[in-house]
């Protein structure tokens, strides 16, 4: 049965239209939608009072807060008692007032927030184990070491020179690629394949050095191909070796095919130079529609230029039009905030701009900037990963069927709107990752790269090797010189021109194997023979090595994450050492395993299986773990919340009506699953927007009925946007249980910010008891205790630990603030006893309620004053 949110019965729920107009005011005057989602409302006093009663350390001094509710900087002319806070107190301050994390991000010499005070990061500058650390990574412009004391104009000039500085960087030459055998001696059995792979990489690097002047110059293809403007006019170049004749047409020449005929060189590159008009104006006005018409083996064909920087869909039209995008200097967006420093640990908020509104519309870059980025910051994430940036004519492809690789999606705004979004994220201390698609391309011929020059081999493999039958898309030929130039230049374009801070490379498994990792062809078991053989596409792996070399060489702080489900060895080892060079592997197996477990009763879960699933990763290769991503939110699948609570979510999430056993179980396990995934799963963590509070229902893009060639009809949804949005208002509503789930996710993110446990070198799993259903592990200074038992709670339960002294609760999934039952005393202190237990030198006793996760941290003793 299909349920609709319209069927939710919330007697006390106000509608968005009934909100007080004072909270509907927009952040900026350029908002295109005249409403604000519910999350901008102030928290109710009842919530704040509840949080106050549940403070983790009620005996500690309270936070120093200005009259406006913002945390004041220690060391100023106000009370500086907050400087001596324990990390757990700082965490509670954030939980009581999540707005504090937004306020903190505004800290600067000239406050951008209403009021005169300066503000401090709500984490208090604490790092792993509560030690003070450099918090510059989260500081906006005026507090960054590199720009301290500079004026806004000087900062803008510094940022504008970044491209010039990147040009001067030298990408290190290839190493010998032999360290992989020291890291993993089993690889010596496959040295023939691996040495051949590295040899191909070296040969390609040498050829690029010889013929193109190196990777740095080679990756600036966008300065040679497509439209390039000079003082005297515009040059247009296009690689189309299959074409027999080509001409540039568009609004600027009234679409006259005889006006601007192009010439071809021996490499298949077509070119034309258009001089400026007599009055000095450019020959192609900004905003003009343009196409290239070619006489090809398939006949006459009008195509959008392959290197086009912007493309739009005209009203009533199906194919897109290429747009010459070159606004006047005074209209171009100027970046004002430098990139934040690369964080030690990644806490990624995966987002889709188009569906990020609470309303059934396609949202804009501007609205996402104003509404969603502050939410991400407040929740405690330090990175936002944005999907569907590259232009894609089919909205329901989720951005993965790219038609125009250098153009940002026009559905959400202009290129300058996107730049403004990224600049705002940097101001908030958020790094911005782009979900980049180099694994395949749209099958479209009218507005994509397919059959660009009338042949099926331009950019792609010809024949069946160039077609992905499951995705209905084209596959790149990574062994072709111009394809390598195109894709490497594309990666650099987004980093250089738009200031993205890195990439999540989509579909890498499909790239690395000729069978594309499809289960119908192969199932990866971990046997090394599956990775190094004839099924491996060496050209594709070498391209990935080049891409990582380029990105890390020119942008040392940039981050690359590869979506690989196969477990390819050497994937996250530096290229110099013989690896593929990614910083992180996306740990996709975890989400699949959680779905597998959720199909069973939790009474049948095995604690050993859970631990193995989360810790089964390669040594020295970092992973980004997640319990669910956008994949699980799509129609046809279920989110974790839906697996756990199903249709009860529609009737029993309101606080003014009794809960049900299914809801209580679902909320408890939802919190535990996410915390244990973050705690054990990797060195980074990812969440898809809305899943932090258990977003109900699935994502269903607007679509009409589709008639297949065999006559069957795939029913659509009447082109509805109702389920293609994110109901953030549910997570913000004081009267719904979603709020507690969101509060817990926020507490989880801020806990990691304070203690840095994901990147701690210390990790020890001391207990995975199948009878008790208990898992205990240490990560960093913290001790995590998970009781998955559905009925049994344990008093005076002994758990092992490393550090001596006393501990206290710093996060408790059973806290009433998180829709728990309040069975844990947060004021209690836990003293260690000497003696080995669970292979740990010490232990202490705790209360472990059923279906509850509790995190304990050591308390640092205060020094006694010395008499004298």
């Amino acid at each position: 049965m299909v349920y609709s949110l319209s069927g939710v019965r919330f007697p006390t729920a106000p509608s968005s239209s009934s909100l007080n107009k004072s909270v509907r005011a927009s952040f900026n005057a350029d908002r295109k939608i005249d409403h604000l989602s519910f999350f901008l409302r102030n928290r109710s006093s009842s919530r704040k009072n509840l949080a106050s009663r549940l403070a983790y350390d009620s005996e500690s001094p309270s936070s120093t807060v200005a009259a406006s509710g913002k945390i004041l900087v220690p060391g100023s002319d106000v009370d500086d008692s907050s400087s001596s806070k324990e990390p757990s107190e700082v965490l509670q301050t954030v939980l009581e007032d999540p707005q504090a994390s937004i306020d903190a991000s505004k800290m600067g010499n000239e406050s951008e927030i209403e009021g005169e005070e300066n503000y401090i990061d709500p984490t208090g500058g604490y790092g792993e184990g509560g030690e003070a650390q450099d918090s510059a990574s989260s500081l906006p412009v005026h507090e960054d070491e590199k720009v301290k004391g500079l004026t806004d104009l000087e900062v803008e000039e510094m940022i504008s020179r970044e491209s010039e500085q990147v040009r001067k960087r030298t990408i290190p030459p290839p190493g010998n690629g032999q360290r992989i055998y020291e890291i993993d001696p089993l690889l010596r059995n496959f040295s023939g394949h691996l040495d051949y792979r590295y040899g191909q990489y070296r040969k390609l690097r040498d050829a690029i050095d010889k013929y193109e002047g190196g990777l740095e110059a080679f990756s600036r293809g966008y300065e040679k191909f497509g439209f390039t403007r000079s003082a005297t006019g515009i040059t247009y170049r296009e690689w189309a070796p299959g074409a027999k004749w080509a001409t540039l047409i568009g609004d600027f020449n009234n679409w006259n095919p005889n006006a601007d005929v192009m010439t071809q060189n021996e490499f298949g590159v077509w070119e034309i130079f258009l001089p400026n008009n007599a009055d000095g104006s450019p020959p192609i006005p900004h905003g003009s529609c343009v196409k290239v018409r070619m006489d090809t083996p398939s006949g006459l064909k009008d195509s959008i230029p392959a290197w086009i920087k912007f493309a739009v869909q005209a009203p009533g039209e199906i194919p897109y039009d290429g747009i010459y995008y070159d606004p006047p200097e005074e209209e171009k967006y100027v970046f004002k905030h430098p990139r934040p420093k690369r964080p030690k640990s990644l806490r990624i908020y995966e987002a889709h701009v188009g569906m990020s509104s609470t309303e059934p519309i396609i949202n804009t870059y501007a609205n996402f900037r104003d509404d969603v980025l502050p939410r991400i910051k407040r929740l405690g994430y330090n990175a936002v990963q944005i999907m569907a940036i590259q232009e894609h004519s089919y909205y329901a492809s989720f951005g993965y069927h790219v038609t125009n690789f250098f153009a940002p999606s026009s559905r959400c705004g202009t290129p300058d709107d996107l730049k403004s979004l990224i600049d705002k994220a940097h101001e908030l201390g958020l790094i911005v990752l782009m979900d980049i698609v180099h694994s395949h391309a749209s099958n479209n011929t009218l507005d994509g790269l397919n059959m660009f020059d009338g042949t099926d081999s331009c950019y792609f493999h010809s024949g069946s090797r160039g077609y992905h039958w499951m995705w209905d898309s084209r596959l790149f030929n990574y062994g072709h010189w111009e394809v390598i130039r195109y894709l490497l230049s594309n990666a650099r374009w987004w980093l250089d021109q738009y200031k993205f801070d890195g990439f999540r490379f989509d579909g890498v498994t499909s790239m690395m194997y000729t069978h594309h990792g499809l289960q119908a062809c192969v199932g990866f078991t971990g046997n090394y023979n599956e990775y190094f053989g004839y099924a491996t596409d060496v050209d594709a792996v070498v391209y990935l090595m080049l891409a990582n070399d380029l990105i890390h060489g020119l942008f040392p702080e940039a981050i690359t994450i590869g979506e690989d489900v196969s477990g390819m060895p050497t994937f996250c080892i530096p290229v110099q050492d013989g690896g593929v060079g990614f910083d992180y592997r996306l740990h996709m197996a975890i989400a699949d395993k959680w779905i597998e477990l959720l199909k069973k009763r939790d009474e049948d879960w095995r604690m050993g299986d859970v631990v193995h699933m989360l810790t089964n990763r390669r040594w020295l290769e970092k992973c980004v773990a997640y319990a669910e991503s956008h994949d699980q939110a799509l129609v046809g699948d279920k989110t974790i919340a839906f697996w756990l609570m199903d249709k009860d979510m529609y009737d029993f999430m309101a606080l003014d009506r009794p809960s049900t056993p299914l809801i209580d179980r679902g909320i408890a396990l939802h919190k535990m699953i996410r915390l244990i995934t973050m705690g054990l799963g990797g060195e980074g963590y990812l969440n898809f927007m809305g899943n932090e509070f258990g977003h109900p229902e699935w994502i269903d893009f607007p679509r009409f009925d589709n008639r297949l060639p065999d006559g069957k009809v795939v029913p659509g949804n009447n082109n509805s946007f109702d389920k293609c949005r994110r109901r953030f208002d549910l997570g913000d509503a004081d009267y719904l249980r979603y709020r507690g789930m969101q509060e817990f996710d926020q507490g989880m993110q801020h806990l990691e910010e304070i203690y840095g446990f994901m990147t701690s070198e210390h990790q020890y799993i001391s207990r995975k008891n199948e009878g008790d259903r208990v898992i205990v592990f240490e990560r960093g200074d913290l001790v995590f205790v998970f009781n998955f038992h559905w009925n049994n709670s344990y008093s005076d339960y002994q758990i092992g630990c490393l550090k001596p002294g006393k501990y206290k609760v710093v996060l408790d999934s059973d806290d009433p603030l998180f829709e728990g039952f309040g069975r844990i005393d947060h004021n209690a202190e836990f003293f260690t006893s000497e003696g080995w237990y669970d292979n740990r030198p010490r232990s202490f006793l705790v209360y472990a309620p059923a279906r509850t996760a509790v995190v304990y941290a050591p308390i640092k003793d205060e020094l006694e004053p010395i008499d004298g």
Side-chain angles (χ1 to χ4, degrees):
M1 183 179 293
V2 177
Y3 299 90
S4 169
L5 280 175
S6 61
V8 183
R9 295 191 293 274
F10 301 143
T12 61
S15 66
S16 59
S17 61
S18 67
L19 289 177
N20 187 293
K21 292 183 179 180
S22 65
V23 299
R24 294 168 61 97
S26 61
F27 280 112
N28 294 312
D30 61 349
R31 285 197 33 118
K32 298 181 180 179
I33 298 177
D34 63 357
H35 73 280
L36 281 182
S37 56
F38 284 167
F39 77 84
L40 293 176
R41 295 180 301 158
N42 293 326
R43 308 176 121 229
S44 70
S45 58
S46 61
R47 277 277 176 180
K48 286 189 176 181
N49 292 337
L50 176 61
S52 300
R53 293 196 302 271
L54 297 171
Y56 291 128
D57 188 355
S58 61
E59 295 180 2
S60 301
S62 59
S63 303
T64 302
V65 180
S68 59
K70 304 176 176 72
I71 305 175
L72 300 176
V73 175
S76 64
D77 57 355
V78 295
D79 184 5
D80 64 354
S81 60
S82 61
S83 64
S84 61
K85 283 185 176 296
E86 287 284 339
S88 58
E89 297 175 62
V90 180
L91 175 62
Q92 184 60 26
T93 299
V94 174
L95 293 177
E96 291 181 13
D97 185 4
Q99 185 67 28
S101 66
I102 302 179
D103 298 336
S105 71
K106 296 284 191 178
M107 176 170 54
N109 292 336
E110 295 179 5
S111 175
E112 297 180 21
I113 316 175
E114 182 180 348
E116 298 296 326
E117 306 91 346
N118 291 328
Y119 309 100
I120 191 169
D121 185 337
T123 65
Y126 287 102
E128 183 180 329
E131 296 294 335
Q133 68 174 5
D134 177 12
S135 59
S137 62
S138 64
L139 300 182
V141 143
H142 298 293
E143 291 293 322
D144 191 282
E145 292 177 355
K146 297 179 180 178
V147 298
K148 199 168 185 178
L150 299 182
T151 65
D152 288 344
L153 182 59
E154 289 170 330
V155 170
E156 291 174 12
E157 291 176 353
M158 183 192 75
I159 298 171
S160 68
R161 291 196 300 269
E162 183 190 62
S163 296
E164 182 182 329
Q165 294 168 350
V166 169
R167 285 171 178 261
K168 297 176 182 178
R169 289 179 182 146
T170 302
I171 299 172
N176 60 20
Q178 297 298 298
R179 188 168 177 265
I180 53 174
Y181 304 121
E182 299 174 19
I183 295 171
D184 186 352
L186 289 177
L187 293 174
R188 295 187 186 278
N189 298 326
F190 303 91
S191 60
H193 177 99
L194 290 164
D195 289 347
Y196 170 77
R197 183 179 85 181
Y198 204 76
Q200 292 299 105
Y201 158 75
R202 290 178 63 100
K203 286 180 183 178
L204 193 50
R205 280 289 306 266
D206 290 343
I208 291 172
D209 289 345
K210 180 177 180 180
Y211 298 109
E212 298 284 352
L215 267 179
E216 189 282 321
F218 187 53
S219 62
R220 283 188 275 116
Y222 48 82
E223 294 182 357
K224 178 180 179 181
F225 288 90
F227 295 95
T228 58
R229 186 176 173 189
S230 65
T232 56
I234 295 173
T235 301
Y236 171 61
R237 294 188 185 93
E238 200 73 77
W239 177 65
K244 297 175 284 187
W245 173 84
T247 182
L248 181 63
I249 56 176
D251 294 336
F252 71 99
N253 63 8
N254 293 317
W255 302 90
N256 181 356
N258 300 314
D260 296 295
V261 177
M262 304 172 71
T263 59
Q264 186 184 34
N265 67 15
E266 67 272 27
F267 301 107
V269 176
W270 295 86
E271 178 178 341
I272 189 171
F273 174 74
L274 304 175
N276 287 335
N277 297 322
D279 61 358
S281 61
I284 307 178
H286 165 60
S288 299
C289 289
V290 290
K291 287 192 176 182
V292 56
R293 175 169 295 175
M294 293 175 280
D295 183 8
T296 77
S298 303
L300 280 177
K301 180 178 185 291
D302 291 352
S303 296
I304 293 178
W307 298 73
I308 199 70
K309 307 306 189 296
F310 195 47
V312 300
Q313 186 179 37
E317 298 289 332
I318 295 178
Y320 276 57
D321 291 320
I323 300 295
Y324 177 73
Y325 194 85
D326 186 22
E329 288 298 321
E330 63 272 15
E331 295 180 15
K332 293 180 181 179
Y333 187 81
V334 177
F335 285 92
K336 303 174 181 63
H337 306 282
R339 306 173 189 267
K341 289 184 179 180
R342 176 174 172 163
K344 187 176 180 181
S345 60
L346 274 180
R347 299 186 303 278
I348 303 170
Y349 197 83
E350 185 184 31
H352 184 288
V353 173
M355 67 172 63
S356 64
S357 173
T358 59
E359 303 297 326
I361 59 172
I362 295 177
N363 208 8
T364 65
Y365 296 127
N367 289 346
F368 187 92
R369 175 196 67 206
D370 297 340
D371 295 352
V372 184
L373 286 179
R375 162 181 288 276
I376 296 170
K377 177 67 177 180
R378 184 185 75 217
L379 288 173
Y381 292 86
N382 59 16
V384 54
Q385 178 179 297
I386 307 181
M387 306 171 63
I389 290 295
Q390 294 163 294
E391 188 59 88
H392 48 290
S393 62
Y394 183 42
Y395 188 47
S397 74
F398 231 134
Y400 292 122
H401 280 209
V402 176
T403 45
N404 312 111
F405 283 77
F406 288 81
S409 177
S410 59
R411 290 182 181 87
C412 302
T414 68
D416 289 286
D417 291 337
L418 176 58
K419 292 177 180 179
S420 173
L421 182 161
I422 295 169
D423 200 27
K424 180 63 176 180
H426 288 167
E427 180 189 5
L428 293 173
L430 299 169
I431 66 168
V432 187
L433 305 176
M434 174 178 165
D435 197 343
I436 197 169
V437 184
H438 282 181
S439 50
H440 64 133
S442 169
N443 204 25
N444 289 15
T445 57
L446 293 178
D447 48 17
L449 291 181
N450 188 24
M451 302 291 289
F452 183 75
D453 66 350
T455 72
D456 72 342
S457 59
C458 185
Y459 289 103
F460 310 107
H461 287 292
S462 61
S464 60
R465 189 179 176 188
Y467 179 72
H468 198 298
W469 62 268
M470 181 174 283
W471 295 348
D472 188 27
S473 58
R474 296 304 312 275
L475 300 173
F476 287 106
N477 180 355
Y478 302 103
H480 198 288
W481 193 266
E482 292 303 332
V483 175
I484 297 171
R485 184 203 307 274
Y486 185 80
L487 294 177
L488 289 179
S489 298
N490 186 243
R492 179 172 178 174
W493 168 258
W494 295 108
L495 294 173
D496 193 15
Q497 300 297 310
Y498 284 84
K499 311 301 181 189
F500 278 98
D501 301 298
F503 300 112
R504 176 243 195 215
F505 277 80
D506 176 69
V508 174
T509 303
S510 175
M511 296 173 68
M512 295 192 298
Y513 307 97
T514 54
H515 52 60
H516 311 303
L518 299 177
Q519 290 184 353
C521 304
V522 64
F524 291 101
T525 64
N527 188 313
Y528 278 26
N529 289 293
E530 297 165 352
Y531 306 113
F532 310 116
Y534 292 113
T536 303
D537 189 336
V538 174
D539 288 340
V541 177
V542 168
Y543 163 71
L544 291 170
M545 295 166 70
L546 284 173
N548 278 300
D549 237 5
L550 171 79
I551 292 166
H552 293 128
L554 298 184
F555 302 89
E557 293 283 292
I559 296 168
T560 59
I561 304 168
E563 186 200 31
D564 172 41
V565 72
S566 74
M568 165 70 83
T570 76
F571 192 74
C572 294
I573 294 175
V575 176
Q576 293 260 340
D577 298 332
V580 183
F582 284 99
D583 294 306
Y584 295 86
R585 184 201 309 275
L586 200 63
H587 203 333
M588 303 173 68
I590 294 177
D592 294 338
K593 185 66 175 180
W594 278 125
I595 297 302
E596 180 183 321
L597 290 175
L598 288 168
K599 292 178 181 178
K600 306 176 183 179
R601 303 181 312 155
D602 54 308
E603 291 89 333
D604 297 325
W605 295 0
R606 303 286 297 175
M607 300 299 97
D609 290 346
V610 172
V611 170
H612 178 73
M613 162 187 73
L614 294 169
T615 57
N616 183 24
R617 52 187 185 271
R618 299 189 184 280
W619 183 52
L620 294 182
E621 298 196 31
K622 294 186 292 186
C623 289
V624 172
Y626 60 96
E628 54 185 342
S629 68
H630 67 271
D631 289 327
Q632 288 71 40
L634 286 169
V635 63
D637 206 337
K638 287 184 179 182
T639 63
I640 288 177
F642 233 145
W643 277 108
L644 290 168
M645 295 178 278
D646 203 53
K647 65 179 184 294
D648 275 24
M649 296 179 73
Y650 294 101
D651 292 307
F652 300 102
M653 292 299 281
L655 291 174
D656 66 346
R657 62 181 59 194
S659 181
T660 68
L662 196 62
I663 291 295
D664 290 341
R665 170 186 179 270
I667 291 177
L669 289 177
H670 189 272
K671 293 178 289 187
M672 295 179 73
I673 287 170
R674 300 172 78 79
L675 181 59
I676 199 169
T677 299
M678 175 183 253
L680 280 180
E683 293 70 35
Y685 178 80
L686 178 142
N687 166 67
F688 179 66
M689 62 178 185
N691 286 351
E692 67 271 14
F693 60 83
H695 197 292
E697 296 196 322
W698 49 82
I699 296 166
D700 192 7
F701 283 88
R703 53 195 168 83
F704 292 107
D705 294 350
N706 182 28
R707 184 175 296 277
L708 302 178
D710 61 4
K712 294 181 179 178
V713 175
V714 178
N717 60 12
N718 199 29
N719 203 39
S720 171
F721 284 84
D722 184 61
K723 294 181 178 62
C724 194
R725 53 175 169 156
R726 294 281 90 180
R727 293 292 305 273
F728 293 124
D729 51 303
L730 299 179
D732 294 334
D734 287 331
Y735 48 84
L736 299 179
R737 292 185 169 89
Y738 295 107
R739 179 63 174 267
M741 298 162 75
Q742 178 171 282
E743 298 277 4
F744 181 76
D745 190 84
Q746 176 176 309
M748 198 168 72
Q749 305 308 320
H750 285 285
L751 181 76
E752 206 289 323
E753 171 69 20
I754 293 167
Y755 289 95
F757 58 82
M758 284 198 300
T759 53
S760 171
E761 293 182 2
H762 176 65
Q763 176 175 311
Y764 191 89
I765 301 163
S766 59
R767 173 163 290 223
K768 41 186 177 180
N769 189 295
E770 301 296 349
D772 294 344
R773 294 296 201 274
V774 170
I775 296 172
V776 180
F777 62 87
E778 302 161 20
R779 200 154 185 196
D781 282 350
L782 303 179
V783 180
F784 293 75
V785 180
F786 289 81
N787 180 6
F788 280 96
H789 203 284
W790 53 97
N791 189 46
N792 292 348
S793 298
Y794 306 107
S795 298
D796 294 331
Y797 195 80
Q798 190 172 8
I799 60 172
C801 65
L802 175 65
K803 294 194 173 185
K806 59 183 177 180
Y807 287 73
K808 66 178 177 181
V809 174
V810 290
L811 188 65
D812 165 25
S813 70
D814 201 46
D815 191 323
L817 183 66
F818 308 142
E819 295 305 326
F821 295 100
R823 291 168 289 180
I824 297 292
D825 181 2
H826 298 159
N827 296 318
E829 294 179 337
F830 304 85
F831 295 85
T832 60
S833 299
E834 296 295 320
W836 288 88
Y837 186 78
D838 283 348
N839 291 319
R840 310 311 289 146
R842 299 166 187 90
S843 63
F844 58 94
L845 303 178
V846 301
Y847 176 49
R851 287 182 178 148
T852 294
V854 184
V855 185
Y856 299 87
I859 304 173
K860 294 200 171 186
D861 289 326
E862 296 182 3
L863 295 177
E864 294 293 332
I866 300 176
D867 296 330

